[in-house]
């Protein structure tokens, strides 16, 4: 339940300004609120609010505490001699029935931390001037409740001059009015403030108190004319309010602004009670735990201008009555579980400027009535289930600046009317099913800064777009163009080079062709990222070219460069990501590139015809696979301690396996397959590459046993040590420690012994290849427990896995031929135990592997009958028992 008490007292934490026309209430960004007896923390000690204990300190040279609390000195004056106790740190004279003037000599007590002068009812303890208080600079606790301070006109300024104050109590004090303007707020450590039974509180004071960022407890009991029923503005956001809202709130008839965002309110009935708040214009309930449906009665709150219900658990449909809220300027329903269609009535919200419905399950088409929202500036429908075409009426949104429709199922062409949105700054329709060419009218969107159409089926050319933007009278504003993963064709016009504000160009994976020349970049001085990989461009740029840009990201993979590494690359001193895979590079890397590569984060120049020695490793990813690099792995790689992926397969790398790999704790993927490595795989002692997920050394000339350091690599999913000269037994720790393995290949080695029974613990295993070794004994019946070979695979997970980790693939001998499986590896389930010395019967448990596609037990010494239930293995494609 809410920590809220219905009484004449008001004490809570709030943020922002809470005020009414004549009766304001204090606001402060505090962290709690209190309606009863308080406890106060000073100097690390917690004291009751009424009778704090005496501070004590072991000392023989001075008195540091003095208390007369709750004694009876029968109208005696406060003795001046107390002012001579200059070492006092604690002084408590509360409720002691003193009377008369508090001596200003108390200002001599400069060491005081705690001063309680609270008077007793019926006694006239008073202060005429508070200047003396400013001489106590370290005061943390001050209580002047029930004192007569009516002549102390400087009270407000003096108290404000003590920044060390943590607790201030002025309850029932007779205080003079404080005129504006007020001094700058200086009570930077104030945690507790008691202004109960004080009638001089002004709106200026309350605004002043809103600067009290350290305030935790605010007490406003019995504050005379203070009446929260007249509030117009109430902000209780970012608290720990939970449960239902008390009925007290609904009595605030004049309330216009209510912010309860970022709490833990749970009851949707709050929306059904809005009818009581007939003047409400602003309602923010975002970031709570409200569930249930939006009631139709919400449409009766016709004065609402702002409604935020985002980031809750609201379900159901948007009610048709939402169209009654014709004064709405902002409507935020994002990040809920709303379903159904957007109601047609939404088109009646003529004043709407912001419409945020993203991250729901809204379906159906965008209603045609949306075009009636002529004042709309933002429309966000991201990540829903919206289908159908974008309506032609979208062109009616003349003031629209942001149109965000990504991650839906929108089909058809982008309508020509999109070209009427001359105010549009950001257009994102990525990850949909758009088709057809871009409308010619898009070339007229001169104010557009971001165009994101990634992952659609858009076809046609970019000529109209760039030609149009290049002729904008004031110059095109386009900063970023993202059109990866579409079906664009034709050439890129040289007019692209005139869209001078372009910073990001991403055209990855299309069907674009033609020459890329200097003209394409002539005025692109702001270019930071260029990604044109997986097209079919001819890069015609002279070796001594001086680009007008200095990019951080350059991707031209699968283009046609057909040259040595171009010298103009060294002008790109900010380059961090470089992708030149299969572009026809040849020859040795130039001398300047050795240090240049060290400054990169990702470098991919795989599948070229580069030769010579390896360069310095970049910081994160290096792919130089499928080249002709020779010689050992250079010692400089030892400095690449943050390297996460290293692909050097299919080269002519020789020498031993470098020991510094033991220290590469960030290394996740290592593929050195198909090289000329020799000797034993390293032995790690105190440091291990524990982040490894893929370890491939197949097709080398390595010897010795399977390296024991791998037992520390519990994240391994791929282990391929095939086609080497490894000897010894298959270690049992593989089945104990490497429980994430999906692919295990030890084929074509000199391994002997039996197959460990506990390999069955590898429930994620898809491929087991132990062929062409010297293994003996029986086929373990436990192999029938490979869960991943029993069930259909999680296609999505494996697709991602393949894309990022299996550049080199896995060698499998299937149907009599050895092939490398890469892009369809996620489909493969295989067991190959052929060419060993296995004996005994084929265990019937293998027939439980109904997801198995390839099984090879040939060239062994197996006997007995073939299990009858093998006929149940319906998706088996290859079976070799010869």
């Amino acid at each position: 339940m809410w920590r809220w008490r219905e009484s004449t007292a008001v004490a809570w934490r709030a943020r922002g300004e809470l005020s009414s026309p004549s009766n304001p209430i204090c606001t402060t960004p505090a962290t709690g609120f209190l309606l009863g007896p308080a406890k106060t923390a000073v100097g690390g000690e917690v004291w009751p609010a009424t009778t704090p204990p005496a501070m004590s300190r072991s000392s023989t040279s001075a008195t540091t505490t003095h208390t007369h609390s709750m004694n009876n000195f029968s109208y005696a004056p406060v003795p001046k001699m107390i002012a001579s106790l200059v070492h006092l740190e604690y002084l408590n004279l509360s409720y002691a029935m003193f009377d008369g003037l508090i001596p200003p000599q108390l200002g001599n007590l400069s060491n005081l931390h705690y001063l309680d002068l609270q008077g007793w009812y019926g006694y006239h303890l008073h202060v005429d001037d508070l200047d003396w208080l400013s001489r106590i600079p370290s005061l943390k606790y001050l209580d002047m409740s029930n004192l007569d301070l009516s002549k102390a006109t400087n009270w407000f300024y003096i108290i404000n001059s003590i920044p060390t104050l943590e607790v201030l109590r002025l309850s029932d004090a007779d205080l003079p009015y404080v005129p504006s303007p007020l001094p700058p707020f200086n009570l930077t450590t104030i945690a507790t403030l008691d202004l109960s039974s004080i009638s001089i509180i002004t709106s200026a004071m309350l605004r002043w108190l809103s600067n009290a960022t350290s305030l935790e407890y605010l007490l406003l009991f019995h504050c005379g004319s203070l009446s929260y029923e007249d509030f117009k503005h109430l902000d209780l956001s970012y608290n720990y309010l939970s449960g239902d809202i008390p009925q007290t709130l609904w009595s605030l008839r004049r309330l216009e602004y209510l912010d309860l965002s970022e709490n833990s309110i749970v009851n949707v009935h709050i929306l059904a009670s809005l009818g009581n708040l007939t003047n409400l214009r602003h309602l923010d309930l975002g970031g709570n735990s409200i569930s249930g449906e939006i009631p139709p009665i919400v449409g009766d709150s016709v004065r609402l201008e702002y409604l935020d219900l985002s980031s809750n658990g609201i379900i159901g449909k948007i009610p048709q009555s939402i169209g009654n809220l014709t004064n709405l300027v902002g409507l935020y329903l994002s990040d809920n579980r709303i379903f159904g269609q957007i109601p047609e009535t939404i088109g009646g919200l003529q004043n709407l400027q912001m419409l945020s419905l993203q991250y729901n399950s809204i379906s159906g088409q965008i209603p045609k009535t949306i075009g009636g929202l002529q004042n709309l500036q933002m429309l966000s429908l991201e990540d829903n289930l919206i289908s159908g075409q974008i309506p032609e009426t979208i062109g009616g949104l003349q003031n629209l600046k942001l149109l965000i429709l990504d991650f839906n199922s929108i089909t058809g062409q982008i309508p020509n009317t999109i070209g009427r949105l001359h105010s549009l700054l950001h257009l994102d329709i990525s990850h949909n099913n758009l088709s057809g060419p871009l409308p010619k009218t898009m070339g007229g969107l001169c104010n557009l800064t971001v165009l994101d159409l990634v992952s659609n089926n858009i076809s046609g050319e970019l000529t109209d777009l760039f030609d149009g933007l290049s002729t904008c009278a004031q110059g095109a504003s386009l900063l970023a163009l993202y059109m990866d993963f579409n079906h664009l064709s034709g050439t890129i016009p040289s007019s692209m080079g005139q869209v001078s504000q372009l910073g990001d160009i991403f055209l990855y994976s299309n069907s674009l062709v033609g020459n890329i020349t200097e003209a394409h970049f002539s005025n692109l001085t702001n270019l930071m990222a260029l990604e044109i990989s997986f097209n079919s461009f001819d890069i015609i740029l002279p070796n001594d070219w001086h680009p007008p840009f200095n990019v951080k990201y350059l991707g031209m993979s699968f283009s046609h460069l057909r040259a040595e590494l171009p010298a103009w690359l060294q002008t790109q001193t900010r380059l961090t990501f470089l992708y030149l895979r299969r572009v026809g590079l040849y020859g040795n890397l130039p001398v300047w590139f050795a240090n240049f590569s060290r400054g990169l984060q990702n470098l991919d120049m795989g599948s070229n015809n580069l030769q010579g020695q390896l360069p310095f490793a970049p910081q994160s990813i290096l792919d130089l696979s499928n080249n002709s690099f020779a010689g050992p792995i250079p010692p400089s790689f030892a400095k690449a301690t943050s390297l996460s992926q290293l692909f050097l397969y299919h080269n002519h790398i020789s020498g031993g396996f470098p020991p510094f790999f033991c220290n590469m704790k960030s290394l996740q993927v290592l593929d050195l397959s198909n090289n000329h490595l020799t000797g034993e795989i390293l032995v790690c002692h105190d440091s291990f590459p524990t982040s490894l997920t893929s370890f491939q050394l197949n097709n080398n000339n390595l010897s010795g046993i399977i390296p024991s350091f791998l037992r520390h690599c519990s994240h391994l999913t791929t282990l391929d040590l095939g086609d080497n000269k490894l000897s010894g037994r298959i270690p049992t720790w593989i089945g104990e420690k490497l429980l994430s393995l999906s692919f295990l290949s030890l084929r074509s080695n000199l391994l002997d012994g039996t197959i460990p029974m506990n390999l069955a613990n590898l429930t994620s295993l898809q491929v087991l290849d132990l062929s062409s070794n010297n293994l003996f004994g029986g086929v373990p019946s436990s192999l029938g427990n490979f869960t991943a070979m029993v069930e259909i695979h999680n296609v999505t997970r494996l697709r991602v896995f393949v894309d990022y980790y299996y550049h080199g693939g896995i060698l499998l001998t299937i149907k009599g031929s050895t092939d490398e499986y890469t892009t369809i590896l996620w489909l493969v389930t295989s067991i190959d135990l052929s060419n060993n010395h296995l004996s005994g019967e084929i265990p019937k448990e293998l027939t439980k592997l109904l997801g198995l596609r390839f099984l090879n037990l040939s060239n062994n010494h197996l006997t007995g009958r073939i299990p009858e239930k093998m006929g149940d293995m319906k998706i088996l494609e290859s079976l070799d028992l010869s």
Side-chain angles (χ1 to χ4, degrees):
M1 293 297 294
W2 280 36
R3 294 173 291 177
W4 184 310
R5 197 169 93 189
E6 299 183 38
S7 72
T8 57
V10 178
W12 60 57
R13 170 191 180 270
R15 186 190 70 166
E17 182 182 345
L18 313 186
S19 62
S20 69
S22 59
N23 298 303
I25 176 171
C26 180
T27 77
T28 170
T31 57
F33 50 85
L34 179 68
L35 297 176
K39 287 191 176 181
T40 304
V42 177
E45 298 184 59
V46 179
W47 301 331
T50 53
T51 56
M55 296 174 64
S56 62
R57 181 176 296 177
S58 176
S59 174
T60 59
S61 61
T63 301
T64 60
T65 69
H66 199 79
T67 178
H68 292 290
S69 176
M70 293 303 292
N71 288 303
N72 186 347
F73 293 102
S74 301
Y75 294 93
V78 176
K80 295 180 182 179
M81 55 78 58
I82 293 178
S84 64
L85 305 176
V86 295
H87 295 288
L88 274 184
E89 296 181 6
Y90 177 101
L91 176 58
N92 188 346
L93 304 177
S94 63
Y95 298 121
M97 286 70 167
F98 285 115
D99 194 52
L101 180 69
I102 294 176
Q105 290 85 351
L106 292 184
N108 296 335
L109 305 179
S110 59
N111 292 307
L112 273 184
H113 295 304
Y114 185 106
L115 177 59
D116 192 341
L117 300 173
Q118 185 173 187
W120 188 255
Y121 296 100
Y123 291 76
H124 187 237
L125 197 60
H126 61 95
V127 175
D128 292 344
D129 192 314
L130 268 182
D131 278 342
W132 59 269
L133 195 62
S134 63
R135 303 199 303 272
I136 309 177
S138 301
L139 202 58
K140 294 182 179 181
Y141 185 105
L142 176 62
D143 192 337
M144 295 194 295
S145 301
N146 296 309
L147 297 187
D148 181 359
L149 302 172
S150 59
K151 294 184 180 181
T153 56
N154 59 349
W155 73 271
F156 191 90
Y157 298 88
I158 295 297
I159 289 175
N160 185 52
S161 70
I162 309 174
T164 55
L165 268 182
E166 297 177 11
V167 178
L168 174 61
R169 298 187 180 278
L170 298 173
S171 175
D172 269 311
D174 187 1
L175 296 167
Y177 175 78
V178 181
S180 296
L182 302 180
F185 187 84
N186 192 46
L187 300 179
T188 53
T189 59
I190 194 71
T192 297
L193 178 59
D194 186 353
L195 299 176
S196 301
S197 300
I198 293 178
S199 59
I200 64 160
I201 299 173
T202 66
S203 58
M205 284 184 183
L206 300 176
R207 283 191 294 270
W208 183 81
L209 274 176
S210 66
N211 297 298
T213 56
S214 59
L215 193 60
E216 296 181 1
Y217 298 98
L218 172 62
L219 288 84
L220 294 173
F221 293 85
H222 306 291
C223 285
S225 61
L226 190 63
S227 173
Y228 57 85
E229 292 184 359
D230 290 330
F231 294 160
K232 283 189 174 183
H233 190 119
L234 180 58
D235 186 339
L236 296 174
S237 58
Y238 291 90
N239 276 282
Y240 303 101
L241 308 179
S242 60
D244 296 338
I245 298 175
Q247 292 300 311
T248 305
L249 186 64
W250 309 122
S251 65
L252 308 180
R253 303 290 183 179
R254 303 189 60 163
L255 197 64
E256 296 180 2
Y257 183 106
L258 176 59
D259 189 343
L260 298 172
S261 61
E262 305 301 329
N263 285 287
S264 299
I265 304 166
V266 299
N267 201 329
V268 77
H269 296 306
I270 181 175
L271 299 175
S273 302
L274 288 179
N276 297 321
L277 305 178
T278 54
N279 290 296
L280 197 63
R281 299 179 186 276
H282 181 110
L283 176 61
D284 191 345
L285 297 173
N288 281 284
S289 302
I290 299 172
S291 58
E293 299 186 12
I294 301 173
I297 198 173
V298 76
D300 294 343
S301 300
V302 293
R303 292 197 176 189
L304 269 180
E305 298 174 4
Y306 180 98
L307 177 59
D308 190 342
L309 303 177
S310 61
S311 300
N312 280 286
I314 295 172
I315 60 173
K317 299 178 180 181
I318 301 172
Q320 294 285 338
S321 61
I322 204 79
N324 298 337
L325 306 180
T326 54
N327 289 307
L328 266 186
V329 175
L331 177 59
Y332 301 87
L333 303 178
S334 62
D335 198 11
N336 282 289
R337 290 179 287 164
I338 298 170
F339 55 83
Q341 299 186 9
I342 301 172
E344 297 277 347
T345 56
I346 208 160
L349 305 181
Q350 297 293 317
N351 293 301
L352 197 63
Q353 295 180 15
M354 303 290 176
L355 178 56
S356 175
L357 304 178
Q358 70 265 28
Y359 306 118
N360 281 289
S361 298
I362 298 170
S363 58
Q365 298 187 18
I366 300 172
K368 294 180 180 180
T369 57
I370 203 86
L373 305 180
Q374 296 183 2
N375 290 301
L376 198 65
Q377 296 182 25
M378 182 195 76
L379 174 59
S380 180
L381 306 178
E382 173 187 0
D383 206 351
N384 277 286
L385 303 173
I386 295 171
S387 57
Q389 299 188 17
I390 300 171
E392 295 279 346
T393 56
I394 201 81
L397 307 181
Q398 300 291 320
N399 292 297
L400 195 65
K401 295 180 179 179
L402 279 78
L403 178 56
I404 313 297
L405 305 176
D406 56 312
F407 288 96
N408 280 286
S409 300
I410 299 171
T411 58
Q413 292 185 227
I414 299 173
N416 285 318
T417 55
I418 201 87
R420 299 177 188 170
L421 306 183
H422 296 295
S423 298
L424 197 62
L425 301 177
H426 190 124
L427 175 60
D428 187 348
I429 322 179
S430 62
H431 302 279
N432 279 281
N433 296 313
L434 296 173
S435 58
L438 296 177
K440 293 182 179 180
T441 56
M442 288 189 72
L445 299 179
C446 295
N447 290 310
L448 193 65
T449 59
V450 176
L451 176 58
D452 190 345
L453 300 174
V454 168
S455 293
N456 280 284
N457 299 308
I458 297 171
S459 58
E461 301 187 2
L462 292 172
T463 303
D464 290 331
L465 177 65
F466 283 124
D467 285 354
L469 293 175
S470 66
T471 59
C472 290
Q474 303 299 321
S477 300
L478 193 64
L479 303 175
L481 174 64
Y482 306 114
M483 293 198 67
D484 313 66
F485 300 104
N486 277 286
H487 302 303
L488 297 173
S489 59
T491 63
I492 296 180
S494 59
S495 56
M496 180 181 78
Q498 304 305 313
V499 186
S500 59
Q501 298 300 315
L502 270 174
D504 289 357
I505 302 174
F506 281 78
L507 300 172
Y508 182 96
S509 191
N510 279 281
S511 300
L512 295 164
V513 296
N515 295 339
I516 298 294
T517 66
E518 295 175 77
H520 287 87
F521 308 105
S522 57
N523 289 320
L524 300 189
T525 56
N526 296 302
L527 195 64
M528 298 298 293
L530 175 66
E531 176 55 274
I532 57 174
S533 299
F534 288 89
N535 286 282
S536 190
F537 293 118
D538 289 308
I539 310 298
I540 312 297
L541 297 170
N543 196 47
D544 59 352
W545 180 46
H546 292 281
F549 52 75
N550 192 353
V551 295
K552 292 184 178 180
Y553 183 112
L554 180 61
M556 295 183 171
S557 295
F558 292 86
S559 296
H560 309 299
L561 191 58
R562 290 186 289 268
E564 295 182 340
L565 195 68
W568 59 262
L569 272 179
Q570 60 187 310
T571 67
Q572 304 302 291
T573 55
R574 293 191 293 186
L575 195 62
T576 305
F577 302 92
L578 178 59
Y579 302 99
L580 295 175
R581 189 176 192 83
R582 197 175 292 179
V583 296
L585 292 174
Y586 58 79
N588 292 335
L589 293 175
V591 174
W592 59 263
F593 191 75
N595 284 324
F596 186 86
S597 63
R598 184 183 294 177
L600 297 173
Q601 183 169 327
N602 292 4
L603 172 61
D604 183 354
M605 294 196 300
S607 298
N608 285 289
N609 193 26
L610 297 169
Q611 57 190 34
Q613 293 186 339
L614 294 167
F616 284 113
Q619 300 169 28
S620 184
I621 297 176
L622 175 61
D623 190 342
L624 296 175
S625 59
N626 288 302
N627 278 288
S628 298
F629 289 105
I633 296 174
S636 62
F637 273 48
K639 299 178 181 179
T641 54
S642 62
L643 198 64
S644 63
Q645 298 180 31
L646 177 58
F647 302 96
L648 298 176
Y649 58 87
H650 284 290
N651 277 284
H652 305 301
I653 298 170
S654 58
F657 196 88
F660 54 72
F661 277 106
C662 293
N663 300 321
M664 290 189 165
K665 295 186 179 297
S666 298
L667 192 63
Q668 299 174 21
V669 181
L670 177 62
D671 191 342
L672 301 177
S673 61
N674 292 283
N675 279 288
H676 306 302
L677 296 173
T678 57
E680 295 186 4
I681 304 176
L682 71 159
V683 176
C684 298
H685 296 288
D686 301 321
S687 183
F688 309 99
T690 52
S691 297
L692 272 177
T693 60
S694 179
F695 188 63
Q696 294 176 255
L697 298 180
N698 50 294
N699 281 288
N700 279 284
N701 198 25
L702 297 165
S703 56
I705 62 172
I706 295 174
S708 61
F709 78 85
L710 290 174
R711 72 171 68 205
H712 300 282
C713 304
S714 59
H715 302 295
L716 265 181
T717 57
T718 299
L719 176 58
D720 191 346
L721 302 176
D723 293 282
N724 281 287
K725 296 180 180 178
L726 300 177
S727 57
R729 293 175 173 262
I730 299 174
T732 57
W733 50 256
I734 291 180
E736 296 169 353
K737 303 293 186 181
L738 307 185
L739 300 180
S740 297
L741 274 181
S742 293
F743 305 94
L744 174 60
S745 177
L746 303 174
R747 68 190 303 272
S748 298
N749 277 288
L750 305 175
L751 300 172
D752 56 26
T754 59
I755 300 173
M757 294 284 290
N758 66 0
L759 285 185
N761 295 336
L762 308 178
T763 55
S764 298
L765 202 65
Q766 285 179 242
V767 173
L768 175 63
D769 191 347
L770 304 179
S771 62
S772 301
N773 280 284
N774 298 314
L775 302 174
F776 54 82
V779 177
S781 60
S782 60
L783 298 188
N785 294 328
F786 289 139
T787 304
M789 301 184 193
V790 173
E791 303 171 351
I792 302 298
H793 305 307
N794 186 326
V795 173
T796 302
R797 180 182 70 85
L798 289 175
R799 278 188 187 275
V800 173
F801 189 68
V802 171
D803 288 345
Y804 285 93
Y805 292 100
Y806 290 101
H807 296 268
I810 296 290
L811 283 176
L812 296 175
T813 301
I814 295 173
K815 301 179 183 178
S817 63
T818 301
D819 297 297
E820 188 173 58
Y821 283 72
T822 54
T823 57
I824 63 167
L825 188 58
W826 58 276
L827 283 172
V828 176
T829 48
S830 171
I831 293 179
D832 190 346
L833 306 179
S834 62
N835 294 297
N836 280 287
H837 306 294
L838 300 174
S839 58
E841 296 187 357
I842 299 173
K844 62 181 183 299
E845 286 79 6
L846 287 184
T847 63
K848 295 189 296 183
L849 305 179
L850 302 180
L852 193 64
R853 294 180 181 274
F854 309 108
L855 177 61
N856 191 347
L857 302 176
S858 64
N859 291 302
N860 280 288
H861 306 297
L862 300 174
T863 58
R865 295 190 176 189
I866 298 173
E868 291 185 7
K869 288 193 175 182
M870 193 167 282
D872 295 338
M873 304 170 72
K874 301 296 184 183
I875 69 169
L876 200 62
E877 297 179 24
S878 176
L879 175 62
D880 193 344
L881 303 177
S882 60

